[in-house]
Amino acid sequence: MICDIFDDVLEPHVAELIQSEIKKVPWHYYYSSNKKIPGYHWHVFCGADSDQVTQNGYDYLLPIWEAVNYKYQLEENYGIIKWKRLYMNAHTFGVEPNIHRDDGDFTMMYYPRLDWKPEWMGGTAIWDDEGKNIDRYCNYIGNRILIFPAKNNHQAMSVSRFCHELLPVVVFKLYVKDMNLIEDPNSDRLDFYKD
């Protein structure tokens, strides 16, 4: 299973800017990651391409894609040629994230909170196909990237009750080939952004 973790992705001043800007984000609640299981979390749709992301005021997130694509040669190593959707999810203590699969070819998550404490938990679990065992766990560490196939069962892990902070994650939907999205009947996602 491909599930890669990269640390210190951005230069420190860029990572600090992103962390600072995310603290100003107007989050929206009642977003569900799995249409089959009730439960909600905070969510912000940033855009379907770099122009829309810029128009929506989230251009400070674009250096994430640029740095990862350059440093880890996404096309050469994964066959990834583009991203087609950028959004942010967030959780707090008491918000129980659901296991789900994504649309697209790969999911790339960036952890922006540089001040996150390991004991607050809240990382990401990648489950086996049956959803019975965790194959890989990625602890939440600021300025870290997680890349995995979108079809893999995964889940944001709960935040500790001793934490009174918002846990944000920046998500890029990555594609191996240029394609129009059509609803995948095997996906648990509620929404699809069609061209």
Side-chain angles (χ1 to χ4, degrees), residues 84-100:
K84 206 159 186 176
R85 189 164 81 249
L86 171 55
Y87 59 91
M88 292 185 281
N89 288 331
H91 298 86
T92 54
F93 167 70
V95 175
E96 295 296 326
N98 294 320
I99 189 171
H100 63 282

Side-chain angles (χ1 to χ4, degrees), residues 17-122:
L17 171 68
I18 290 171
Q19 175 182 251
S20 174
E21 291 299 314
I22 285 177
K23 289 181 179 180
K24 303 172 192 174
V25 168
W27 295 94
H28 307 285
Y29 194 65
Y30 296 111
Y31 186 84
S32 179
S33 58
N34 190 327
K35 63 187 173 186
K36 300 173 186 171
I37 304 171
Y40 302 102
H41 61 272
W42 284 270
H43 177 81
V44 173
F45 175 68
C46 301
D49 58 34
S50 58
D51 290 339
Q52 192 175 47
V53 167
T54 300
Q55 288 172 347
N56 292 340
Y58 298 104
D59 53 317
Y60 57 87
L61 299 174
L62 295 175
I64 300 168
W65 166 255
E66 294 162 5
V68 172
N69 195 28
Y70 175 76
K71 284 173 121 176
Y72 308 113
Q73 302 174 350
L74 297 182
E75 185 171 1
E76 181 179 320
N77 292 322
Y78 301 91
I80 296 167
I81 59 167
K82 66 187 290 186
W83 62 271
K84 206 159 186 176
R85 189 164 81 249
L86 171 55
Y87 59 91
M88 292 185 281
N89 288 331
H91 298 86
T92 54
F93 167 70
V95 175
E96 295 296 326
N98 294 320
I99 189 171
H100 63 282
R101 298 172 193 253
D102 288 346
D103 60 293
D105 295 317
F106 285 90
T107 297
M108 181 174 79
M109 295 181 182
Y110 175 76
Y111 300 151
R113 287 287 303 263
L114 303 173
D115 57 349
W116 195 257
K117 297 178 181 177
E119 63 267 25
W120 290 347
M121 303 303 289

Side-chain angles (χ1 to χ4, degrees), residues 1-7 9 65 67-83 104-109 136 144-152 172-178:
M1 169 182 52
I2 297 171
C3 180
D4 291 329
I5 299 168
F6 301 105
D7 287 326
V9 173
W65 166 255
V68 172
N69 195 28
Y70 175 76
K71 284 173 121 176
Y72 308 113
Q73 302 174 350
L74 297 182
E75 185 171 1
E76 181 179 320
N77 292 322
Y78 301 91
I80 296 167
I81 59 167
K82 66 187 290 186
W83 62 271
D105 295 317
F106 285 90
T107 297
M108 181 174 79
M109 295 181 182
R136 185 91 189 254
R144 171 176 273 184
I145 283 285
L146 169 64
I147 299 174
F148 58 91
K151 67 181 174 80
N152 287 14
F172 288 80
K173 305 312 303 177
L174 306 176
Y175 290 86
V176 171
K177 55 193 171 300
D178 191 19

